[in-house]
Amino acid sequence: MEAKDGYLQIPSLKGKVSDAEWQARVNLAACYRLVDMYGLSDMIANHISARIPGEDGVFLINPYGMMYEEITASSLLKSDFQGNIVGGPDFGDLGYGVNRAGAVIHSAIHEARHDVGCVLHTHSWASMAVSSLECGILPLTQTAMRFLKVAYHDYQGVVLNDSEKVSLVNDLGMNNVLILRNHGALTTGSTIAEAFNWMHRLELSCYAQLASMACNSPLSKVPQKVLEETWNNYQPGTRRPFGVMEWPALLRKLDRTDPSYKN
């Protein structure tokens, strides 16, 4: 596959896939660009996946070898739960495929959680730092109180074996946030917009916690009753789904800076 002016020349899949798949591709490519824009990417590492409405047993994910800032709707690969590529572009001599850890993590969650439409995994410096703390994420700020009851998964090495799928799924449970200890962070959502919202707020909470702890001053504690009430205000029964309000604005932000994600 050739590159021109720093961009891979990937033929558009628009009109060659279903309308539902194309829309999922556009939104997922937008999510990759936003994760990079907000400083949460790690070169070609990590992965974000999304279901295709109306299709079972498959999900969209990034080709291992592309930077988040260059992901487009047509560059995304379609993988089955066994890690086989069943759709997407031919990268020719580049040989880009699905990252093995991505295949294990994302197939495990999509197969077990049919309510999950998107899985987002990062290695930002903030979430990696918090994942290495025995205390995990602390409810120090209003934003962090949303994460009062997140899940944790103990580090077992690079996630390359299917044998880890069971513990990953069991530890995640029905939560939307999983702190991968000594590793990073993972969020899920019924939509791509929701998963991004969870991750954005999680990262803000991690930044604030690390900044507070670095001051070497006593931390102000909030009464447990107030923590529980605040956490409850973030739950689905008390508010609209996360991501609904800001996603159109985030897409407009991308359109103003670089609309090539839609290619």
Side-chain angles (χ1 to χ4, degrees):
M1 181 174 287
E2 295 184 355
K4 182 179 180 181
D5 299 325
Y7 291 92
L8 290 176
Q9 301 303 294
I10 300 173
S12 176
L13 292 178
K14 188 174 184 179
K16 299 177 182 178
V17 297
S18 68
D19 290 344
E21 178 174 336
W22 181 250
Q23 191 57 54
R25 285 176 170 275
V26 170
N27 280 318
L28 184 55
C31 191
Y32 276 99
R33 298 294 186 96
L34 289 165
V35 166
D36 183 73
M37 182 179 288
Y38 282 90
L40 307 179
S41 59
D42 182 11
M43 292 194 290
I44 65 170
N46 300 149
H47 7 82
I48 314 169
S49 65
R51 286 186 185 274
I52 301 169
E55 291 193 41
D56 293 325
V58 295
F59 56 90
L60 298 172
I61 196 167
N62 55 316
Y64 189 40
M66 290 186 71
M67 303 279 280
Y68 278 27
E69 67 188 36
E70 61 178 340
I71 294 290
T72 64
S74 297
S75 71
L76 294 164
L77 298 173
K78 185 192 293 190
S79 173
D80 65 18
F81 292 162
Q82 289 70 51
N84 302 306
I85 298 172
V86 296
D90 178 3
F91 287 96
D93 293 342
L94 291 174
Y96 292 164
V98 178
N99 174 272
R100 175 59 185 165
V104 173
I105 293 170
H106 293 261
S107 64
I109 296 172
H110 282 298
E111 189 169 14
R113 290 276 304 273
H114 299 287
D115 61 307
V116 168
C118 178
V119 180
L120 201 168
H121 171 45
T122 60
H123 285 174
S124 81
W125 66 264
S127 61
M128 284 195 295
V130 169
S131 79
S132 70
L133 299 175
E134 186 175 322
C135 65
I137 188 163
L138 300 174
L140 299 177
T141 63
Q142 176 176 282
T143 301
M145 292 172 201
R146 173 174 166 181
F147 305 99
L148 184 64
K149 302 179 183 182
V150 299
Y152 292 86
H153 177 69
D154 288 339
Y155 189 69
Q156 301 176 31
V158 180
V159 189
L160 300 177
N161 300 314
D162 287 340
S163 59
E164 194 170 343
K165 286 184 175 183
V166 174
S167 58
L168 262 171
V169 169
N170 287 342
D171 289 338
L172 176 62
M174 295 306 295
N175 291 286
N176 290 104
V177 176
L178 183 66
I179 303 297
L180 302 166
R181 289 198 181 277
N182 309 100
H183 183 173
L186 182 148
T187 62
T188 71
S190 60
T191 65
I192 294 168
E194 184 179 14
F196 179 77
N197 179 287
W198 276 108
M199 185 60 75
H200 181 265
R201 299 303 193 276
L202 177 62
E203 292 290 346
L204 286 179
S205 300
C206 289
Y207 295 145
Q209 176 174 328
L210 294 171
S212 298
M213 296 175 78
C215 293
N216 195 29
S217 179
L219 300 174
S220 175
K221 293 184 178 180
V222 177
Q224 187 64 32
K225 182 176 182 293
V226 177
L227 290 177
E228 293 285 348
E229 290 174 348
T230 306
W231 173 83
N232 187 62
N233 283 331
Y234 285 115
Q235 300 314 298
T238 55
R239 55 156 294 126
R240 71 173 70 87
F242 292 113
V244 171
M245 293 294 290
E246 72 266 25
W247 192 250
L250 288 168
L251 294 182
R252 293 194 298 272
K253 180 180 181 70
L254 286 177
D255 287 342
R256 290 193 298 272
T257 54
D258 183 1
S260 66
Y261 72 95
K262 295 185 287 189
N263 293 343

